[in-house]
Amino acid sequence: MGKPVLLHSLLLSGLLLLAVLDVSLVNADDPYRFYTWTVTYGTISPLGAPQQVILINGQFPGPQLDVVTNDNLVLNLINKLDVPFLLTWNGIKQRKNSWQDGVLGTNCPIPPGSNYTYNFQPKDQIGSFTYFPSTGFHRAAGGYGAINVYQRPRIPVPYATPDGDFTLLVGDWYKTGHKALQASLDSGKSLPFPDGVLINGHSQATFSGDQAGKTYKFRVSNVGLKNTLNFRIQGHTMKLIEVEGSHVVQNMYDSLDVHVGQSVNVLVTLNQAPKDYYIVASTRFTPKKLVASGVLHYTNSKTPVSGPLPAEPSYQLHGSMEQARTYRWNLTANAARPNPQGSFHYGKITTTKTIVLSNSAPLINGKQRYAVNGVSYVNADTPLKLADYFNIPGVFSTSSLQTVPNGGAATVATSVIPTSLHDFIEVVFQNDENAMQSWHLDGYDFWVVGFGSGQWAPAKRSTYNLVDALTRHTTQVYPNSWTAILVSLDNQGMWNMRSAIWERQYLGQQFYLRVWSAVQSLANEYFIPTNALLCGKAVGKSH
């Protein structure tokens, strides 16, 4: 667990205290939690063979952050690797604060032997989220962990308090080290199929319930690199209660498809005979099946797990899409605030812009790349946010990436789509490939209003759910299909929109959304942090 360091600790550096005093982030009404994390390499054997991984405070996965809505998190990250490093906070909106997003378009990476103090809030958020490295291909080495944001004491949730709370970080995994995987990608090759699936860093794990009749919350996040996973528990059904901060209509499921980068919360009641039961996470829509199994242990059990593993669902892509359509917003429940989720009538708002994004897998100069509307993203030496703040020309382009596919030859660019604060936009993800896609947007959640097969067209809007679509930060796009989302651009900043499938992100399937207002004030965006690292063309600039 990531234990907060007490305020009076003598270990707090002057830099950390300076970050606390930064006027742009202080909120005296909300508690502070202080952490010091050290990032190192270590050798473990998650799939039976020793390999180098990334540890945080000696842990794999990293420390779990258990926090409350609006807590101020002051986290001093010390980089003891041999290369620059950053963490990003997947699903945390960083309200008015893209300075803390922890991706290469917003932050300079932390040099080896140095540190950076993140200072941010899970503002008006509840739910299950994750963090992971955003630099290089570090994500394939670990460095990831859970962020569990609990509601404030006076804010009710639409279910009884569970008798326990389990966090499951599930994901596919390679035995090959992250440096070799990155070198393979840099040489123009795509990655092979992974070697296994992990649950909390292991191929097996046990979760113990006190006794029959009690109900437990399972927080399940797909922290893998490539594949959708199906999650199921032998002999038990699961009540879906929350998806990435949205309370949902509480339907029962035998299994759930969790796509790369996504998180779901379910309730499981121990209502079977007192024995041990399999917990399974297995790859979906793949010719070869990878499986990790855990155990749900009734504490009065005298019988170990037995029988075959519970089978994956018989339905395939169409059935998975149908399952996704059953995820609906609970309109009468509140989330982090007291007002009901349904009080925001998103379906009645006129959109100001439509953006259609088509992913592709072109060869550029003979090497495998991935692209959006024919543009494959390349990182700049200067974070885009710093270039924007200091008016440094030539770092990024707002004209290279068109808002509809143009069918031209694939190119590379540091691409940004400009938008205005308070725009309400429609984004359509068009997937003409045979592979599942997973798309994420930093700084926001969005309404997933439609899924469909084939080509999207304006007439497809008649199929949109404009009443109770849930909000989330990562959505799947099925092969040869489309997904439509609506986004209220109420959070100024420079925000990464990317493939959550990390090979595709690394080789260019991403860009940045610049959400901008001519009125510059603290009401719209916080000042640059006093401890901001400067690199590239921003070196020597005064802030």
Side-chain angles (χ1 to χ4, degrees):
M1 301 286 286
K3 299 293 186 184
V5 181
L6 295 177
L7 177 59
H8 61 263
S9 171
L10 297 178
L11 295 176
L12 288 174
S13 67
L15 181 60
L16 187 59
L17 290 173
L18 183 62
V20 174
L21 295 173
D22 191 330
V23 66
S24 69
L25 292 173
V26 165
N27 188 331
D29 296 330
D30 297 312
Y32 280 83
R33 295 176 184 260
F34 297 91
Y35 306 85
T36 299
W37 286 2
T38 301
V39 182
T40 61
Y41 291 124
T43 300
I44 62 172
S45 305
L47 289 177
Q51 65 183 113
Q52 185 185 73
V53 299
I54 291 175
L55 307 175
I56 299 179
N57 288 358
Q59 301 176 45
F60 173 83
Q64 182 170 302
L65 285 175
D66 288 312
V67 302
V68 176
T69 302
N70 295 353
D71 281 353
N72 292 282
L73 309 184
V74 183
L75 193 150
N76 185 24
L77 187 66
I78 303 167
N79 178 18
K80 291 193 174 180
L81 305 183
D82 56 355
V83 290
F85 185 80
L86 278 174
L87 286 178
T88 189
W89 317 95
N90 200 52
I92 301 299
K93 295 180 186 177
Q94 305 290 4
R95 295 287 305 167
K96 302 189 291 186
N97 198 20
S98 63
W99 302 109
Q100 305 292 337
D101 201 30
V103 290
L104 289 172
T106 60
N107 294 82
C108 297
I110 305 165
S114 187
N115 75 301
Y116 176 72
T117 300
Y118 291 90
N119 194 330
F120 63 94
Q121 287 182 292
K123 182 68 174 173
D124 294 332
Q125 289 188 263
I126 59 166
S128 301
F129 308 99
T130 58
Y131 63 85
F132 57 80
S134 61
T135 40
F137 215 64
H138 288 142
R139 185 170 172 179
Y144 58 76
I147 308 172
N148 296 334
V149 184
Y150 294 85
Q151 74 276 10
R152 290 169 289 180
R154 293 182 298 277
I155 304 297
V157 294
Y159 51 87
T161 302
D163 295 296
D165 193 323
F166 300 124
T167 297
L168 288 80
L169 302 176
V170 299
D172 50 19
W173 186 259
Y174 289 90
K175 292 180 180 178
T176 305
H178 72 284
K179 293 180 181 179
L181 293 174
Q182 182 171 333
S184 179
L185 292 173
D186 290 341
S187 72
K189 300 175 183 176
S190 57
L191 292 186
F193 194 65
D195 297 300
V197 173
L198 301 182
I199 302 176
N200 291 348
H202 303 276
S203 57
Q204 295 182 325
T206 298
F207 304 89
S208 295
D210 287 342
Q211 62 188 50
K214 291 198 173 182
T215 297
Y216 292 84
K217 178 189 286 188
F218 284 75
R219 302 171 180 265
V220 183
S221 296
N222 186 338
V223 294
L225 297 170
K226 197 178 186 74
N227 289 296
T228 298
L229 297 176
N230 182 264
F231 180 78
R232 53 201 183 272
I233 301 176
Q234 183 183 31
H236 293 73
T237 55
M238 301 176 289
K239 180 185 288 185
L240 185 66
I241 55 171
E242 183 251 309
V243 175
E244 297 164 21
S246 277
H247 284 136
V248 296
V249 174
Q250 295 177 9
N251 295 321
M252 303 297 294
Y253 298 89
D254 294 319
S255 71
L256 291 170
D257 287 339
V258 186
H259 305 273
V260 179
Q262 294 184 343
S263 299
V264 297
N265 285 2
V266 298
L267 294 180
V268 177
T269 299
L270 306 192
N271 55 10
Q272 301 298 307
K275 65 186 212 61
D276 292 355
Y277 296 86
Y278 285 116
I279 296 173
V280 176
S282 62
T283 55
R284 285 279 272 159
F285 319 121
T286 56
K288 178 183 176 182
K289 297 298 179 185
L290 300 177
V291 180
S293 63
V295 174
L296 174 59
H297 172 71
Y298 286 42
T299 52
N300 57 345
S301 166
K302 307 262 188 239
T303 307
V305 289
S306 61
L309 295 176
E312 72 170 10
S314 58
Y315 58 80
Q316 293 301 309
L317 292 166
H318 177 75
S320 181
M321 187 185 293
E322 287 300 306
Q323 182 185 83
R325 290 186 176 122
T326 67
Y327 294 6
R328 314 297 277 252
W329 227 12
N330 186 333
L331 297 179
T332 60
N334 59 275
R337 289 183 168 185
N339 50 304
Q341 294 178 141
S343 61
F344 191 90
H345 301 289
Y346 68 93
K348 297 181 178 180
I349 301 173
T350 301
T351 55
T352 56
K353 178 183 291 189
T354 294
I355 300 173
V356 181
L357 303 173
S358 177
N359 52 272
S360 59
L363 293 178
I364 299 179
N365 296 325
K367 292 185 176 182
Q368 179 67 66
R369 296 287 299 181
Y370 297 98
V372 186
N373 289 359
V375 180
S376 187
Y377 184 90
V378 289
N379 285 306
D381 293 334
T382 306
L384 316 189
K385 183 63 181 168
L386 291 179
D388 206 20
Y389 178 79
F390 290 119
N391 294 313
I392 301 171
V395 173
F396 62 85
S397 168
T398 58
S399 60
S400 58
L401 180 59
Q402 303 304 305
T403 56
V404 294
N406 59 16
T411 60
V412 297
T414 305
S415 42
V416 173
I417 290 181
T419 61
S420 298
L421 186 65
H422 304 306
D423 276 355
F424 190 79
I425 66 172
E426 174 189 39
V427 179
V428 177
F429 301 107
Q430 179 68 53
N431 178 17
D432 294 328
E433 298 183 62
N434 292 324
M436 180 75 73
Q437 304 294 318
S438 188
W439 277 95
H440 170 84
L441 175 59
D442 281 351
Y444 289 92
D445 51 19
F446 44 73
W447 290 270
V448 185
V449 293
F451 299 97
S453 300
Q455 291 290 312
W456 179 86
K460 300 292 186 181
R461 291 178 179 132
S462 65
T463 68
Y464 287 2
N465 177 0
L466 299 179
V467 177
D468 60 356
L470 83 162
T471 59
R472 65 186 317 169
H473 57 68
T474 303
T475 187
Q476 70 273 28
V477 190
Y478 293 92
N480 300 298
S481 299
W482 57 269
T483 297
I485 66 173
L486 299 177
V487 194
S488 178
L489 298 183
D490 60 355
N491 192 14
Q492 183 166 309
M494 188 75 74
W495 302 110
N496 190 211
M497 184 173 278
R498 61 177 178 263
S499 173
I501 298 169
W502 214 242
E503 170 187 359
R504 300 186 73 102
Q505 179 273 349
Y506 181 78
L507 291 180
Q509 191 174 318
Q510 61 167 314
F511 64 93
Y512 282 78
L513 203 63
R514 181 181 186 255
V515 182
W516 184 250
S517 170
V519 178
Q520 296 299 294
S521 74
L522 280 175
N524 292 337
E525 187 173 21
Y526 293 140
F527 298 136
I528 184 172
T530 55
N531 67 328
L533 301 177
L534 301 181
C535 56
K537 295 180 180 179
V539 171
K541 298 290 185 180
S542 175
H543 67 290

